Amino acid sequence: MTLRLDDIHVSFGNVRAVAGVSLTLGAGDRMGIIGPNGSGKSTLINAISGIVRATGAIAVDGHRLRSGSARTAARRGVGRTYQTPQTFTKLTLIENVMLGVPTAERRGGTGSAWWRPRERRRTAEALDVLVTVGLDDLAEQPAAILTYGQQQRLALARALATRPRVLLLDEPAAGLNSAETQALGETLRAVNAGGVALLLVEHKMDFVSALCPRVAVLAGGRLVADGPPGDVLSRPDVIDAYLGVPHA
Ligand code: ADP
Ligand code: MG
């Protein structure tokens, strides 16, 4: 899997949210994107996942994604989570996850003989994903009972159920305590080791530095740095961009 962004721009009226971002992400990569509030991080994820329209080229394995088409992005293996976890509180965890598991193509009614084994397979796949995020014990419970940290895990499970090849995460550690953050890091490493590339927007520097061998910095919609976290986070211009104050 290769995700390639070439000169991506997104504007909302006069606001240039993303202003000429180019980057390439490979199959085994874990890349962090940091930057101050309003620097375009969520908008970049929205552009890649087809939630907002963008100019420039976004391609997965050389296949150009249609701007603003979430369906095209999903079909090419782009999965994502949102800054606020998206879960259905009245549904059980397994039902939440099954909404993401690709449905078997319709060849008969839901009562026909072929359907049942496939439904069982979908259920088994959904349960596997709940095991991955450590929520399988709660599979039959309604999502309403979950803590915030568990909701984040369920949202991750829902994204994994789409079998992404590249997973875009929008501040996955926000609102998590340190034990939950640590556990999330371990889960994401395991997901990545299974061949899923990670592009992770995050505020928690320690978390990003520990998880991502490569970190990019967005400021005012532009990438101002891209490299190993130790190098990037010590650059004076990055510190300026991040803190929004002149470097002494
Ligand atoms: P970040 O995630 O880095 O905090 P965002 O991508 O959410 O930043 O926002 C970047 C800029 O684009 C901000 O100025 C924000 O107000 C603006 N913006 C984001 N989404 C929209 C939208 N749907 N409509 C109008 N302006 C938006
Ligand atoms: Mg954001």
Side-chain angles (χ1 to χ4, degrees), residues 41-42 83 170-171:
K41 304 182 299 296
S42 293
Q83 212 166 330
D170 198 350
E171 300 197 26

PDB file of all heavy atoms in Angstrom, residues 41-42 83 170-171, ligand 2:
ATOM      1  N   LYS A  41      -5.228  19.904  10.559  1.00  0.00           N
ATOM      2  CA  LYS A  41      -4.997  18.468  10.743  1.00  0.00           C
ATOM      3  C   LYS A  41      -6.252  17.644  10.431  1.00  0.00           C
ATOM      4  O   LYS A  41      -6.197  16.694   9.658  1.00  0.00           O
ATOM      5  CB  LYS A  41      -4.516  18.188  12.179  1.00  0.00           C
ATOM      6  CG  LYS A  41      -3.274  18.975  12.573  1.00  0.00           C
ATOM      7  CD  LYS A  41      -2.804  18.628  13.975  1.00  0.00           C
ATOM      8  CE  LYS A  41      -3.800  18.914  15.090  1.00  0.00           C
ATOM      9  NZ  LYS A  41      -4.142  20.362  15.259  1.00  0.00           N
ATOM     10  N   SER A  42      -7.367  18.033  11.059  1.00  0.00           N
ATOM     11  CA  SER A  42      -8.606  17.279  10.804  1.00  0.00           C
ATOM     12  C   SER A  42      -9.042  17.423   9.357  1.00  0.00           C
ATOM     13  O   SER A  42      -9.523  16.467   8.735  1.00  0.00           O
ATOM     14  CB  SER A  42      -9.725  17.752  11.731  1.00  0.00           C
ATOM     15  OG  SER A  42      -9.438  17.424  13.070  1.00  0.00           O
ATOM     16  N   GLN A  83     -12.477  12.745  15.620  1.00  0.00           N
ATOM     17  CA  GLN A  83     -12.012  13.397  16.841  1.00  0.00           C
ATOM     18  C   GLN A  83     -12.976  13.107  18.001  1.00  0.00           C
ATOM     19  O   GLN A  83     -12.556  12.945  19.134  1.00  0.00           O
ATOM     20  CB  GLN A  83     -11.904  14.908  16.579  1.00  0.00           C
ATOM     21  CG  GLN A  83     -10.794  15.556  17.358  1.00  0.00           C
ATOM     22  CD  GLN A  83     -10.465  16.960  16.858  1.00  0.00           C
ATOM     23  OE1 GLN A  83     -10.623  17.274  15.671  1.00  0.00           O
ATOM     24  NE2 GLN A  83     -10.007  17.805  17.746  1.00  0.00           N
ATOM     25  N   ASP A 170      -7.793  10.593  14.193  1.00  0.00           N
ATOM     26  CA  ASP A 170      -7.844  12.012  14.563  1.00  0.00           C
ATOM     27  C   ASP A 170      -7.856  12.136  16.087  1.00  0.00           C
ATOM     28  O   ASP A 170      -8.895  11.946  16.714  1.00  0.00           O
ATOM     29  CB  ASP A 170      -9.079  12.674  13.941  1.00  0.00           C
ATOM     30  CG  ASP A 170      -8.959  14.194  13.917  1.00  0.00           C
ATOM     31  OD1 ASP A 170      -8.020  14.740  14.534  1.00  0.00           O
ATOM     32  OD2 ASP A 170      -9.818  14.831  13.270  1.00  0.00           O
ATOM     33  N   GLU A 171      -6.711  12.431  16.652  1.00  0.00           N
ATOM     34  CA  GLU A 171      -6.524  12.591  18.095  1.00  0.00           C
ATOM     35  C   GLU A 171      -7.079  11.415  18.903  1.00  0.00           C
ATOM     36  O   GLU A 171      -7.920  11.596  19.789  1.00  0.00           O
ATOM     37  CB  GLU A 171      -7.138  13.916  18.564  1.00  0.00           C
ATOM     38  CG  GLU A 171      -6.481  15.103  17.871  1.00  0.00           C
ATOM     39  CD  GLU A 171      -6.738  16.429  18.574  1.00  0.00           C
ATOM     40  OE1 GLU A 171      -6.967  16.426  19.790  1.00  0.00           O
ATOM     41  OE2 GLU A 171      -6.680  17.468  17.897  1.00  0.00           O
TER      42      GLU A 171
HETATM   43 MG    MG B   2      -8.790  18.672  14.629  1.00  0.00          MG
END
